[in-house]
Structures are given as structure tokens and as C-alpha cells.
Amino acid sequence: ILLGGNILLQKDDRKELPLLYQTLYVPAGQRAELILPDSTKVWLNAHSKLIYPVSFKEGTRQVELDGEAYFEVSHNVDKPFIVRTKSMNVKVLGTEFNVSAYSGVEEFNISLLRGSVELSAPDLSRKYRMTAGEQILYREGKYSSARIGSMDYFKWKEGLLCFNNQPIHMIIDKLRLYYDIRIEVADLPFLKERYSGKFRVKDGVEQVLKVLQLEHKFTYVKDNELNLITIK
């Protein structure tokens, strides 16, 4: 886990005040927890980065996310909490939600567990207010809304990968993302089949593949030098 800082200057009518920002990066296959200056709790998933100020200034609380994070926002009606991502901004007063917005993935996903959040983006004609229990998915230029299904997914905060009746090709996409590894797959029939199961993140990508092999016929070869797994 890498933690760094850089100084930006903010102008006001009187003088230039230095703002110190911290950058927290979580490497592949790991996760992190932190408490922000306003007492907001954040869990950061694998291969994710969060930029936040050492102290929040008057009027607003703003952080920048590249990856996936779970927030328990400290309530403050006079100081909204804003999460900026590559595709959308999330504005809250005090709530609990999970947001996934990796810069290398053409998808935005937010699940609201408690409270209320407001979404805004350049391609949204107006701001959208979510309700508790709702999940918004943005993929291929389209938005969709659904109710949150299994709560097991959010156990990634505890170091668990949980899959609930998901197509295997989507599971492999998650493995690529969370472990930052290239996975090349032949066009095999089992990729369209669905799987449910739980894995410890620390056990690694090969543990998931070995369990899948118990039900499906395939082989794989791992090249550590190329950081590549080939499935055939």
C-alpha cells in the first residue's frame, strides 16, 4: 500500500493557502481501510486509488476515486461529501454506499445501502437521486437501475471474493481487475455458464481457477515473467 502527498495551491481573495493532499494506492490482491479527517470510514478495494485532503475546508468535502471503495460517510448537512470519478460525481450528506469506477474499465457501478445520494455526469440531462437499496449500472453508454441482490458482494471489505450466480466470463474479468493480471481465454463453452462461490483474496487467482476446474474441463498455464495466464 503506497501513501503519498502532493501540495496544490488554492487561491482566495486574501492569499494563497497550501492544501496538502494524500494519495492512497492499494496494489492488486490487497485492500485497505482508512478514516478520513471528517471521520468518514473508507474501505478501498484492490488496484484502487483514493486522493483526499489532509483536512477538509469549509463548505464541502471532496475526494477522488479511481477503482472501488465502500464509504460510510459522516453526516454533515452543511458540508456535502463528494466522490469524483472518471464518469460520474456522487454527492451525499451522510450515507453508506459502494462505488466501482476503475479508469481502465468501461463501467460505473454504485450501490446505495443506506441514506440518499445524488449522481451527476456530463451525459446526464439532470441530477439523479438514488434511494436506499438501489443499484445503478452504467455500461456501454446506457444506465440501468435495479435493487441490490446478494449482500455477499460487499464482503470484499473483509477480504472475500463472492460470486452469486455470475457468468464465468464475468468472474474472469474480475480476476483480471483485482489481481492486475492478463488472462487470455479461448472461446470455450463453460465461459457462459454460471457459478456461485466465495474465495479469500489472499489465496490468489490460481485458487479460483483450481476450484472452477472441479466442475469444468479446462487447463491453464501461468507465465510469471509476462504476468499472463492462458486458459484453454
Side-chain angles (χ1 to χ4, degrees):
I1 298 173
L2 305 177
L3 182 64
N6 58 305
I7 295 179
L8 303 178
L9 294 179
Q10 181 183 36
K11 294 182 177 180
D12 63 19
D13 294 333
R14 297 165 298 174
K15 59 182 179 179
E16 292 186 343
L17 299 175
L19 288 178
L20 180 63
Y21 283 81
Q22 297 278 21
T23 299
L24 176 62
Y25 173 71
V26 180
Q30 299 187 36
R31 61 188 176 85
E33 300 177 25
L34 72 154
I35 298 178
L36 297 180
D38 66 334
S39 298
T40 289
K41 296 180 180 179
V42 184
W43 290 261
L44 205 59
N45 207 347
H47 203 203
S48 300
K49 180 174 67 175
L50 185 72
I51 300 174
Y52 61 96
V54 172
S55 61
F56 291 111
K57 299 301 181 181
E58 292 184 3
T60 188
R61 298 171 288 171
Q62 183 169 288
V63 300
E64 184 174 336
L65 173 67
D66 179 354
E68 183 168 22
Y70 189 104
F71 293 86
E72 287 184 3
V73 178
S74 175
H75 183 76
N76 187 335
V77 67
D78 297 320
K79 190 178 286 190
F81 190 95
I82 298 174
V83 181
R84 297 179 61 88
T85 75
K86 63 180 178 64
S87 56
M88 191 174 300
N89 293 335
V90 182
K91 179 180 178 181
V92 305
L93 297 177
T95 190
E96 189 172 342
F97 63 99
N98 189 92
V99 58
S100 180
Y102 286 90
S103 58
V105 178
E106 296 299 323
E107 181 177 299
F108 173 90
N109 193 313
I110 178 170
S111 301
L112 179 62
L113 287 83
R114 179 176 56 84
S116 177
V117 304
E118 185 178 82
L119 306 180
S120 62
D123 59 347
L124 279 176
S125 59
R126 58 186 177 84
K127 296 178 180 179
Y128 180 81
R129 185 175 291 271
M130 295 180 65
T131 58
E134 185 180 11
Q135 184 177 62
I136 295 292
L137 174 64
Y138 175 77
R139 180 188 293 164
E140 298 179 349
K142 297 181 180 179
Y143 293 91
S144 61
S145 172
R147 303 303 296 173
I148 296 175
S150 173
M151 298 295 289
D152 280 349
Y153 173 82
F154 308 110
K155 289 184 177 179
W156 66 258
K157 298 188 303 172
E158 304 167 23
L160 294 175
L161 288 178
C162 299
F163 304 109
N164 182 32
N165 196 34
Q166 284 189 280
I168 292 178
H169 70 86
M170 293 183 64
I171 293 176
I172 290 176
D173 286 342
K174 288 293 185 182
L175 297 179
R176 290 188 181 105
L177 184 63
Y178 292 153
Y179 291 99
D180 193 23
I181 189 169
R182 293 165 53 207
I183 302 179
E184 294 182 355
V185 189
D187 187 15
L188 301 174
F190 85 96
L191 294 176
K192 298 179 181 179
E193 296 186 26
R194 294 178 176 270
Y195 179 82
S196 297
K198 299 178 183 180
F199 303 88
R200 293 182 298 183
V201 174
K202 67 179 182 180
D203 289 341
V205 61
E206 289 191 77
Q207 176 63 21
V208 181
L209 296 178
K210 289 175 181 177
V211 172
L212 290 176
Q213 280 182 319
L214 298 177
E215 298 184 14
H216 306 282
K217 293 183 179 180
F218 68 89
T219 61
Y220 72 88
V221 177
K222 185 177 181 182
D223 188 323
N224 290 322
E225 291 186 2
L226 298 177
N227 191 36
L228 169 67
I229 290 178
T230 303
I231 298 176
K232 54 186 178 180

